[in-house]
Amino acid sequence: IMIQKLFTVSILAFVTAAFAQSEPPTVTEQSIKDDLARVVCKDKERGESVKQLFISKGAKPDDIVISGTKKVENIVVTKQGKTSEIVVIGAHYDKVPEGCGAIDNWTGIVVLANIYAAFSAVETEKTLVFAAFGREEEGLIGSREMVKGIAKENRPQYCSMVNLDCFGLQFPQVLSNTSNTKMTKFAKELAEEVKMPFSQASLAGTADADSSPFLDAGIPAITFHGLSSKWAEIIHSPSDKLEKVNARLVYVAFQFAALYVNRIDPKPCSLFRK
């Protein structure tokens, strides 16, 4: 716990400096805890909860677009940048029948909405698309539908995708089997800079994530998660409930992911491509 506290103080200086051109985002460990407490355990009610969370972070109802098909509803909020180049930041909002889905993946939705809040008043080079994906648990249906809707000729303007999935058990890590190697290297270097413990592991054949459809379409993507070695005892089980979530670690995940997006925003769109 002491290591987590010291790191939270350390990275906060980097985050504050990164957003110096605007009012620092009023995100605290307590505000993250309050957002986590808004979790609903009924899958059918989670979409509305996502909309209300974005509204609480400053989005106007008209800014929230329901995108998708008869198959699935994705909830999308766009922050216009100076250019038409795009970075997608995503997290899925659906859950499996077991448990409350607090870790998988309300934690990712909380991080997503708070990154939106942090960037909403900041001038960015790239247009940021914040996407809450539906039906991830049934085969990445929401993210597949989003990628399917991107015309092939428009894919080069999609510079990268940052996926947020399951936090609150460990420091942010990279799921390497669903992540671009260059984006992973960039994350490792950033973690070293802010002195955050960092690791990456492949769960190929065991776990997939919403970054995969983007990778398949040639769009560089990365999945951040915060699961410990005991993840299999909690995820997709009755144990996935709010009491299992360490709010401080979710706060760290927000800080690191927000800083990561801040750092890649001014970089060339070709940076992570082969």
Side-chain angles (χ1 to χ4, degrees), residues 34-46:
D34 294 341
D35 291 340
L36 290 168
R38 297 173 70 146
V39 63
V40 295
C41 301
K42 292 183 179 178
D43 196 34
K44 290 183 179 180
E45 297 175 5
R46 286 168 80 95

PDB file of all heavy atoms in Angstrom, residues 34-46:
ATOM      1  N   ASP A  34     -15.917   7.062  -5.820  1.00  0.00           N
ATOM      2  CA  ASP A  34     -17.339   7.409  -5.990  1.00  0.00           C
ATOM      3  C   ASP A  34     -17.860   6.902  -7.334  1.00  0.00           C
ATOM      4  O   ASP A  34     -18.989   6.398  -7.415  1.00  0.00           O
ATOM      5  CB  ASP A  34     -17.534   8.924  -5.895  1.00  0.00           C
ATOM      6  CG  ASP A  34     -17.236   9.469  -4.505  1.00  0.00           C
ATOM      7  OD1 ASP A  34     -17.227   8.676  -3.542  1.00  0.00           O
ATOM      8  OD2 ASP A  34     -16.999  10.686  -4.393  1.00  0.00           O
ATOM      9  N   ASP A  35     -17.051   7.033  -8.381  1.00  0.00           N
ATOM     10  CA  ASP A  35     -17.462   6.551  -9.701  1.00  0.00           C
ATOM     11  C   ASP A  35     -17.590   5.028  -9.721  1.00  0.00           C
ATOM     12  O   ASP A  35     -18.496   4.479 -10.353  1.00  0.00           O
ATOM     13  CB  ASP A  35     -16.458   6.987 -10.771  1.00  0.00           C
ATOM     14  CG  ASP A  35     -16.487   8.489 -11.030  1.00  0.00           C
ATOM     15  OD1 ASP A  35     -17.490   9.135 -10.689  1.00  0.00           O
ATOM     16  OD2 ASP A  35     -15.493   9.001 -11.575  1.00  0.00           O
ATOM     17  N   LEU A  36     -16.683   4.355  -9.042  1.00  0.00           N
ATOM     18  CA  LEU A  36     -16.750   2.893  -8.969  1.00  0.00           C
ATOM     19  C   LEU A  36     -18.041   2.442  -8.278  1.00  0.00           C
ATOM     20  O   LEU A  36     -18.637   1.432  -8.660  1.00  0.00           O
ATOM     21  CB  LEU A  36     -15.534   2.340  -8.216  1.00  0.00           C
ATOM     22  CG  LEU A  36     -14.185   2.457  -8.930  1.00  0.00           C
ATOM     23  CD1 LEU A  36     -13.050   2.152  -7.965  1.00  0.00           C
ATOM     24  CD2 LEU A  36     -14.126   1.532 -10.144  1.00  0.00           C
ATOM     25  N   ALA A  37     -18.470   3.214  -7.296  1.00  0.00           N
ATOM     26  CA  ALA A  37     -19.672   2.865  -6.541  1.00  0.00           C
ATOM     27  C   ALA A  37     -20.950   2.984  -7.375  1.00  0.00           C
ATOM     28  O   ALA A  37     -22.006   2.505  -6.958  1.00  0.00           O
ATOM     29  CB  ALA A  37     -19.775   3.747  -5.294  1.00  0.00           C
ATOM     30  N   ARG A  38     -20.844   3.590  -8.542  1.00  0.00           N
ATOM     31  CA  ARG A  38     -22.010   3.733  -9.418  1.00  0.00           C
ATOM     32  C   ARG A  38     -22.269   2.465 -10.243  1.00  0.00           C
ATOM     33  O   ARG A  38     -23.189   2.424 -11.050  1.00  0.00           O
ATOM     34  CB  ARG A  38     -21.807   4.918 -10.376  1.00  0.00           C
ATOM     35  CG  ARG A  38     -21.679   6.242  -9.674  1.00  0.00           C
ATOM     36  CD  ARG A  38     -21.317   7.371 -10.632  1.00  0.00           C
ATOM     37  NE  ARG A  38     -22.424   7.680 -11.525  1.00  0.00           N
ATOM     38  CZ  ARG A  38     -22.705   8.904 -11.972  1.00  0.00           C
ATOM     39  NH1 ARG A  38     -21.964   9.931 -11.603  1.00  0.00           N
ATOM     40  NH2 ARG A  38     -23.715   9.097 -12.782  1.00  0.00           N
ATOM     41  N   VAL A  39     -21.467   1.437 -10.047  1.00  0.00           N
ATOM     42  CA  VAL A  39     -21.627   0.208 -10.814  1.00  0.00           C
ATOM     43  C   VAL A  39     -23.019  -0.378 -10.614  1.00  0.00           C
ATOM     44  O   VAL A  39     -23.571  -0.347  -9.513  1.00  0.00           O
ATOM     45  CB  VAL A  39     -20.551  -0.837 -10.418  1.00  0.00           C
ATOM     46  CG1 VAL A  39     -20.684  -1.268  -8.970  1.00  0.00           C
ATOM     47  CG2 VAL A  39     -20.585  -2.036 -11.355  1.00  0.00           C
ATOM     48  N   VAL A  40     -23.605  -0.864 -11.705  1.00  0.00           N
ATOM     49  CA  VAL A  40     -24.876  -1.591 -11.618  1.00  0.00           C
ATOM     50  C   VAL A  40     -24.622  -3.030 -12.054  1.00  0.00           C
ATOM     51  O   VAL A  40     -23.826  -3.283 -12.955  1.00  0.00           O
ATOM     52  CB  VAL A  40     -25.984  -0.942 -12.475  1.00  0.00           C
ATOM     53  CG1 VAL A  40     -26.342   0.429 -11.958  1.00  0.00           C
ATOM     54  CG2 VAL A  40     -25.575  -0.865 -13.932  1.00  0.00           C
ATOM     55  N   CYS A  41     -25.293  -3.941 -11.414  1.00  0.00           N
ATOM     56  CA  CYS A  41     -25.014  -5.360 -11.648  1.00  0.00           C
ATOM     57  C   CYS A  41     -25.899  -5.988 -12.721  1.00  0.00           C
ATOM     58  O   CYS A  41     -25.674  -7.127 -13.110  1.00  0.00           O
ATOM     59  CB  CYS A  41     -25.162  -6.134 -10.342  1.00  0.00           C
ATOM     60  SG  CYS A  41     -24.060  -5.544  -9.034  1.00  0.00           S
ATOM     61  N   LYS A  42     -26.910  -5.240 -13.184  1.00  0.00           N
ATOM     62  CA  LYS A  42     -27.776  -5.761 -14.247  1.00  0.00           C
ATOM     63  C   LYS A  42     -27.244  -5.311 -15.596  1.00  0.00           C
ATOM     64  O   LYS A  42     -27.123  -4.107 -15.847  1.00  0.00           O
ATOM     65  CB  LYS A  42     -29.214  -5.280 -14.042  1.00  0.00           C
ATOM     66  CG  LYS A  42     -29.885  -5.877 -12.814  1.00  0.00           C
ATOM     67  CD  LYS A  42     -31.324  -5.423 -12.715  1.00  0.00           C
ATOM     68  CE  LYS A  42     -32.009  -6.041 -11.499  1.00  0.00           C
ATOM     69  NZ  LYS A  42     -33.417  -5.580 -11.362  1.00  0.00           N
ATOM     70  N   ASP A  43     -26.940  -6.269 -16.452  1.00  0.00           N
ATOM     71  CA  ASP A  43     -26.311  -5.960 -17.739  1.00  0.00           C
ATOM     72  C   ASP A  43     -27.149  -4.984 -18.562  1.00  0.00           C
ATOM     73  O   ASP A  43     -26.618  -4.079 -19.204  1.00  0.00           O
ATOM     74  CB  ASP A  43     -26.080  -7.262 -18.521  1.00  0.00           C
ATOM     75  CG  ASP A  43     -25.092  -7.085 -19.663  1.00  0.00           C
ATOM     76  OD1 ASP A  43     -24.154  -6.282 -19.521  1.00  0.00           O
ATOM     77  OD2 ASP A  43     -25.262  -7.738 -20.701  1.00  0.00           O
ATOM     78  N   LYS A  44     -28.466  -5.134 -18.547  1.00  0.00           N
ATOM     79  CA  LYS A  44     -29.335  -4.294 -19.361  1.00  0.00           C
ATOM     80  C   LYS A  44     -29.334  -2.839 -18.926  1.00  0.00           C
ATOM     81  O   LYS A  44     -29.729  -1.953 -19.688  1.00  0.00           O
ATOM     82  CB  LYS A  44     -30.768  -4.846 -19.342  1.00  0.00           C
ATOM     83  CG  LYS A  44     -30.920  -6.160 -20.103  1.00  0.00           C
ATOM     84  CD  LYS A  44     -32.358  -6.619 -20.119  1.00  0.00           C
ATOM     85  CE  LYS A  44     -32.513  -7.917 -20.905  1.00  0.00           C
ATOM     86  NZ  LYS A  44     -33.922  -8.391 -20.923  1.00  0.00           N
ATOM     87  N   GLU A  45     -28.912  -2.577 -17.698  1.00  0.00           N
ATOM     88  CA  GLU A  45     -28.920  -1.205 -17.177  1.00  0.00           C
ATOM     89  C   GLU A  45     -27.562  -0.519 -17.309  1.00  0.00           C
ATOM     90  O   GLU A  45     -27.427   0.664 -17.010  1.00  0.00           O
ATOM     91  CB  GLU A  45     -29.353  -1.209 -15.704  1.00  0.00           C
ATOM     92  CG  GLU A  45     -30.766  -1.724 -15.494  1.00  0.00           C
ATOM     93  CD  GLU A  45     -31.127  -1.829 -14.015  1.00  0.00           C
ATOM     94  OE1 GLU A  45     -30.304  -1.419 -13.173  1.00  0.00           O
ATOM     95  OE2 GLU A  45     -32.234  -2.317 -13.724  1.00  0.00           O
ATOM     96  N   ARG A  46     -26.557  -1.244 -17.753  1.00  0.00           N
ATOM     97  CA  ARG A  46     -25.205  -0.685 -17.746  1.00  0.00           C
ATOM     98  C   ARG A  46     -25.000   0.385 -18.815  1.00  0.00           C
ATOM     99  O   ARG A  46     -24.259   1.345 -18.601  1.00  0.00           O
ATOM    100  CB  ARG A  46     -24.173  -1.821 -17.871  1.00  0.00           C
ATOM    101  CG  ARG A  46     -24.052  -2.593 -16.569  1.00  0.00           C
ATOM    102  CD  ARG A  46     -23.280  -3.876 -16.734  1.00  0.00           C
ATOM    103  NE  ARG A  46     -21.852  -3.700 -16.758  1.00  0.00           N
ATOM    104  CZ  ARG A  46     -21.052  -3.831 -15.692  1.00  0.00           C
ATOM    105  NH1 ARG A  46     -21.570  -4.085 -14.498  1.00  0.00           N
ATOM    106  NH2 ARG A  46     -19.746  -3.706 -15.808  1.00  0.00           N
TER     107      ARG A  46
END
